[in-house]
Amino acid sequence: MSTTGNLGTCACNTRPARQALRTRGALQHVLKPSLSPCLKRQRLHHVSRQANNCVCTSVLTAPAQVEQPKQVLQSPWQDSKWTQYKWTVYRGIAYDLTSFIERHPAGNWLINLAIGRDCTALFESYHLRPKVASEQLKRLPVLQDFPVEAVPSSPYPNDSDLYNTIRERVRREVFKGQDAKGAHRTGSGKAAVAILGYAAAACGAYLFDTGLTTGFLLGLAGAWIGLTVQHCGNHGAMSTSPVVNKAMGLTDDLIGGSSLMWRYHHQVSHHIHCNDLELDEDVFSAFPFLRFDARMPRKWFHKYQHIYMWGAYPFLQLAFQLGDWQGLLENQTKGTTLHGANAFEKTTVVLGKLVHYSIIAVIPAMLHGWPAAALGSAAYMATQGVVLAATFAVSHNVAEAKPLASGSATTSSLLTDYQERDWGIQQVLTSANWGGRIGNFFTGGLNLQIEHHLFPAISFVHYPAIAKIVRDECEKRDIPYAHYDTLPEIVGRFSRYMQQVGLAEQMPLQDGSLLQHTAAQRL
């Protein structure tokens, strides 16, 4: 959907080209140190070509020999004129959230995610009633003369016909209008009690007799909490009470993660830009060790990644630990910056780690000695890592959800600039489901990943009913809807995909619309 106006088909008048022209000078500053030098160079070369190699045929174009003045953009993250505000951008307009943060019905810890960025996709995907966010924002102060063009723009979910249609049917057929009273955020309380009850029993057994078996059982509890309780809580989907949601979200800190880092990594980076090479942290954070996308440079050892990844997953929890500490020190995850994180949220990272280390290692060492504590801790981390990898990594890393097959719907979507994609269709194409109600209970709805990505703020107990509507609407539009009957089936497909992408030749970056503004989104 390119904008033409009086410039006809001029290439520099597309949204991607305009954005490239605006932010080209800041590219080197924006690209993260975690990216490989090879990929950085290719991105820099591509965006420079995108911004410079536009040949305008319109009579409005200045003569080639006349050097145009360079546009210097204000930095709303550094300019004191704007840093005094808790600002956000929604559909091209900057608002001051300062007076609204503590009044936000779902709690300040969710609205904080919107500070310092374009919040359009966050707001529109989290509100089942589409006018809720826009009507509330209209009551807030508008920041006049704010440099909106300096802020990387977000996808616009409400512009998706598929998403709008499904959402209206969900409101009408599943919640029967009761979503206004919070019905979509209720129903998972009994599951939370069962899961936390098992976790308490497993923790008691571990402290009483720390070892391989109890470490394994506690690792299962940690994975179960990570997949369900903390996940649903941090999405604000466990209860209508923000206090309950926040408490459930903080269980991530108890099991070794960080609720703060998770919210930014998972909700700001992954959910909004699912399987985007530049913007989805889950795609690029493991590179070069794992190559999840054929657009990444291929290393000689990637041909074996489908084998050695299973030896690495037991250390996944350790990688999370290191990433959380690094994120706290640098004020950013690998995919986004913690613009809205307050002092209390940052404190939870430290306190949560101390409590976690005490439960997993310090107290067991005092009671049973360091050898037993080391064995139990290793069993805990390995179990949690393998279970988490086998249940969440499979949902976005199968051939149907990646730009691997030439001409596929997913390839066409992901090789289109992110601002031009249909957000609802992208969420469907880049996710895959498995199982049914039983898997839904044990994974907190992550087995029904398509529905979860469309409606992250809805309690997982409603996903089976929603799945029928989503599949029906996709069939009407001939949109591929990936579903596997069992977990072993999709795990096998995941392993085969990792082998395929490990052998695949690198796709040219210019075919992936890898513009500099996608890297700038990480600001």
Side-chain angles (χ1 to χ4, degrees):
M1 164 171 48
S2 61
T3 303
T4 55
N6 292 330
L7 295 181
T9 58
C10 171
C12 70
N13 198 40
T14 61
R15 290 178 65 188
R18 291 198 305 273
Q19 191 78 4
L21 287 165
R22 287 198 296 262
T23 58
R24 181 177 57 193
L27 176 60
Q28 187 62 59
H29 170 72
V30 168
L31 290 175
K32 305 284 278 192
S34 60
L35 302 176
S36 72
C38 176
L39 194 54
K40 272 189 186 180
R41 286 194 299 271
Q42 294 176 76
R43 291 175 184 173
L44 283 163
H45 169 75
H46 173 60
V47 296
S48 296
R49 182 182 61 79
Q50 281 280 342
N52 288 329
N53 290 4
C54 173
V55 180
C56 298
T57 58
S58 170
V59 295
L60 299 181
T61 305
Q65 66 270 22
V66 178
E67 183 177 353
Q68 297 299 311
K70 294 182 179 180
Q71 183 179 9
V72 178
L73 298 178
Q74 300 179 58
S75 172
W77 302 277
Q78 298 173 348
D79 190 335
S80 59
K81 179 179 180 180
W82 307 115
T83 55
Q84 62 180 307
Y85 301 106
K86 301 293 185 182
W87 61 264
T88 193
V89 174
Y90 178 78
R91 289 189 170 256
I93 301 176
Y95 296 91
D96 179 16
L97 293 173
T98 306
S99 63
F100 180 62
I101 290 174
E102 298 304 323
R103 296 186 288 111
H104 184 240
N108 62 5
W109 51 288
L110 281 180
I111 194 71
N112 283 345
L113 297 176
I115 296 174
R117 59 177 39 87
D118 188 324
C119 69
T120 306
L122 281 170
F123 275 29
E124 294 183 354
S125 64
Y126 267 72
H127 294 94
L128 200 54
R129 291 174 292 157
K131 292 185 178 181
V132 167
S134 59
E135 290 300 319
Q136 181 60 55
L137 285 170
K138 289 178 181 178
R139 303 187 185 100
L140 300 179
V142 173
L143 299 177
Q144 300 295 337
D145 301 320
F146 184 91
V148 172
E149 67 279 1
V151 181
S153 61
S154 162
Y156 290 2
N158 286 354
D159 287 355
S160 170
D161 176 68
L162 174 70
Y163 184 55
N164 288 333
T165 302
I166 292 173
R167 180 171 51 196
E168 287 308 306
R169 286 190 59 183
V170 167
R171 292 185 62 201
R172 184 174 64 252
E173 299 174 26
V174 177
F175 299 113
K176 305 184 187 307
Q178 294 302 304
D179 53 285
K181 299 180 180 179
H184 57 300
R185 300 181 189 273
T186 62
S188 49
K190 293 181 180 178
V193 170
I195 296 165
L196 293 177
Y198 167 75
C203 184
Y206 179 80
L207 295 176
F208 178 77
D209 184 19
T210 305
L212 184 65
T213 301
T214 54
F216 168 76
L217 295 174
L218 187 60
L220 289 178
W224 204 4
I225 288 175
L227 292 169
T228 54
V229 177
Q230 76 83 20
H231 188 273
C232 210
N234 276 312
H235 274 301
M238 181 63 73
S239 168
T240 55
S241 167
V243 175
V244 172
N245 285 325
K246 193 170 188 177
M248 296 299 98
L250 286 170
T251 59
D252 189 27
D253 298 82
L254 298 181
I255 64 174
S258 165
S259 55
L260 171 64
M261 300 301 167
W262 187 92
R263 285 194 296 275
Y264 278 89
H265 153 212
H266 188 74
Q267 290 161 252
V268 176
S269 175
H270 170 63
H271 259 268
I272 300 305
H273 304 287
C274 187
N275 271 0
D276 187 295
L277 175 62
E278 289 281 333
L279 300 174
D280 183 353
E281 184 174 328
D282 284 353
V283 177
F284 60 79
S285 59
F287 186 82
F289 186 69
L290 291 176
R291 185 192 192 211
F292 285 116
D293 194 296
R295 290 169 290 177
M296 292 175 165
R298 186 184 63 178
K299 306 294 184 181
W300 66 268
F301 50 82
H302 287 146
K303 68 173 108 176
Y304 306 112
Q305 67 177 4
H306 63 293
I307 299 172
Y308 67 68
M309 66 180 183
W310 295 108
Y313 283 144
F315 301 97
L316 184 63
Q317 218 258 3
L318 180 60
F320 289 158
Q321 294 274 349
L322 295 175
D324 292 340
W325 285 115
Q326 182 180 3
L328 181 63
L329 294 173
E330 297 180 354
N331 198 46
Q332 60 187 8
T333 70
K334 288 186 177 181
T336 190
T337 303
L338 315 180
H339 290 306
N342 57 38
F344 172 77
E345 289 177 308
K346 293 180 178 180
T347 301
T348 63
V349 180
V350 178
L351 294 181
K353 297 296 183 196
L354 293 178
V355 173
H356 172 72
Y357 297 150
S358 297
I359 295 173
I360 296 300
V362 177
I363 295 176
M366 295 173 61
L367 296 175
H368 308 290
W370 281 109
L375 181 62
S377 298
Y380 170 83
M381 289 193 296
T383 302
Q384 187 186 88
V386 171
V387 172
L388 289 176
T391 48
F392 77 71
V394 300
S395 298
H396 301 292
N397 293 291
V398 292
E400 301 95 315
K402 291 288 188 175
L404 188 63
S406 177
S408 72
T410 305
T411 300
S412 298
S413 176
L414 289 177
L415 297 192
T416 301
D417 178 75
Y418 82 92
Q419 294 179 95
E420 306 299 324
R421 297 175 197 149
D422 183 301
W423 185 86
I425 292 177
Q426 180 186 350
Q427 302 307 310
V428 173
L429 294 177
T430 55
S431 304
N433 290 356
W434 60 269
R437 292 185 179 277
I438 295 177
N440 187 63
F441 174 74
F442 282 103
T443 66
L446 296 190
N447 67 315
L448 300 180
Q449 193 71 202
I450 295 173
E451 287 67 37
H452 173 62
H453 262 256
L454 290 172
F455 302 106
I458 290 182
S459 171
F460 68 87
V461 298
H462 303 295
Y463 289 159
I466 294 174
K468 297 177 182 178
I469 296 173
V470 177
R471 172 171 270 184
D472 179 54
E473 290 299 330
C474 287
E475 289 176 353
K476 291 177 181 178
R477 293 167 170 79
D478 292 325
I479 298 172
Y481 181 97
H483 181 90
Y484 293 82
D485 291 334
T486 65
L487 177 59
E489 185 181 2
I490 196 172
V491 168
R493 189 67 188 92
F494 164 60
S495 295
R496 289 195 297 275
Y497 168 74
M498 293 301 288
Q499 181 180 24
Q500 288 177 294
V501 76
L503 294 170
E505 295 290 338
Q506 183 184 2
M507 297 174 65
L509 288 181
Q510 60 265 31
D511 290 344
S513 295
L514 300 181
L515 303 176
Q516 65 188 29
H517 66 279
T518 59
Q521 182 72 19
R522 298 180 194 172
L523 287 170

